[in-house]
Amino acid sequence: MTRPGTPPSLPDTAKKTRIFVWVLLTVLIGLGLIWYSVFTLGKPAPTAARPAAEAQLVREDSHRTTSPVTEKAQLVEFLDFECDACRTAQPIIEELEKEYGDRVTFVHRYFPLPAHRNSAAAALAVEAAAQQGKYRQMYTKMFETEPQWGNKQESQALVFRTLAQELGLDLAAYDDTVADDRTKERVKEDIADGTALGVTGTPTFFLNGTKIPLDTEAQFRQLVAEAVR
């Protein structure tokens, strides 16, 4: 029997060391899978570009942030979470959702730009959160924190994982979803549709199937208002 104050025996210390090492290895392997999934998402797809005739502006699994009983218009946004213009547009879109959400279906689609080192990782993180019912909460956090993690060359996957933790997500499930090929394909499908539809930058908006400009906020609001009259 070990008396109070007596240091643990050597076998106990070794056992604790082994446990610590195994836990550390598990974490590192999980982070490695996240890094690999983000890295491979950024690689060009081996298949040919999607023909415009096969592109869909909205798919069944596209993220709809409003669900009006009677739809008078549909506004689709192709966005990049590392895009300053998208972050600037976000509060405007949210105001329009509150004003016209009972008549307009607002749809988000991923379009991470190759020039943005962590935009693909951000899209994977948001999609992983969406699989746990926290799409809106995660994309809001992404835009709120983008000034801190955007425009960096090193991977921000750990930052995104911290955001997931703050939202109370199941982190094991989050890690699995981020590393899942199906999640990468989900994001790539949005990119393929956007590219075939002529999207070259973000944010790009389609109102009732027609690409519309974002020259001024007043003009943009007017176009949406006219669509529901």
Side-chain angles (χ1 to χ4, degrees), residues 34 73 97 198 208 227:
I34 293 174
E97 285 179 353
N208 290 338

Side-chain angles (χ1 to χ4, degrees), residues 76-120:
V76 181
E77 177 184 5
F78 285 84
L79 57 82
D80 176 331
F81 293 106
E82 199 173 351
C83 163
D84 291 337
C86 293
R87 179 164 54 86
T88 300
Q90 185 214 0
I92 299 172
I93 299 302
E94 291 186 344
E95 288 177 10
L96 291 172
E97 285 179 353
K98 292 177 182 177
E99 187 171 358
Y100 300 111
D102 60 336
R103 288 163 286 173
V104 179
T105 301
F106 290 79
V107 184
H108 290 174
R109 302 202 68 179
Y110 304 115
F111 202 82
L113 299 172
H116 294 156
R117 170 68 178 82
N118 286 286
S119 58

Side-chain angles (χ1 to χ4, degrees), residues 78-80 83 86 110-116 190-206 211:
F78 285 84
L79 57 82
D80 176 331
C83 163
C86 293
Y110 304 115
F111 202 82
L113 299 172
H116 294 156
D190 279 11
I191 297 172
D193 277 340
T195 301
L197 292 166
V199 177
T200 57
T202 55
T204 294
F205 293 93
F206 290 83
K211 188 189 297 185

Side-chain angles (χ1 to χ4, degrees), residues 40-100:
T40 54
L41 177 61
K43 290 184 176 181
T47 55
R50 177 171 294 165
E54 296 179 10
Q56 295 183 35
L57 185 57
V58 179
R59 292 184 178 270
E60 185 177 349
D61 61 354
S62 296
H63 294 296
R64 296 161 175 80
T65 57
T66 59
S67 301
V69 176
T70 302
E71 181 188 90
K72 289 192 173 182
Q74 185 181 79
L75 183 67
V76 181
E77 177 184 5
F78 285 84
L79 57 82
D80 176 331
F81 293 106
E82 199 173 351
C83 163
D84 291 337
C86 293
R87 179 164 54 86
T88 300
Q90 185 214 0
I92 299 172
I93 299 302
E94 291 186 344
E95 288 177 10
L96 291 172
E97 285 179 353
K98 292 177 182 177
E99 187 171 358
Y100 300 111

Side-chain angles (χ1 to χ4, degrees), residues 18-19 27 29 39 42 45 58-59 94 98-99 119 121-122 127 132 137 140 149 165 169-170 178 183 202 216 225 227:
R18 287 197 299 271
I19 292 174
V27 172
I29 290 170
F39 177 76
V58 179
R59 292 184 178 270
E94 291 186 344
K98 292 177 182 177
E99 187 171 358
S119 58
E127 182 59 25
Q132 296 190 44
Q137 295 90 327
T140 298
W149 61 262
Q165 185 175 29
L169 300 184
D170 179 329
V178 167
T183 311
T202 55
T216 66

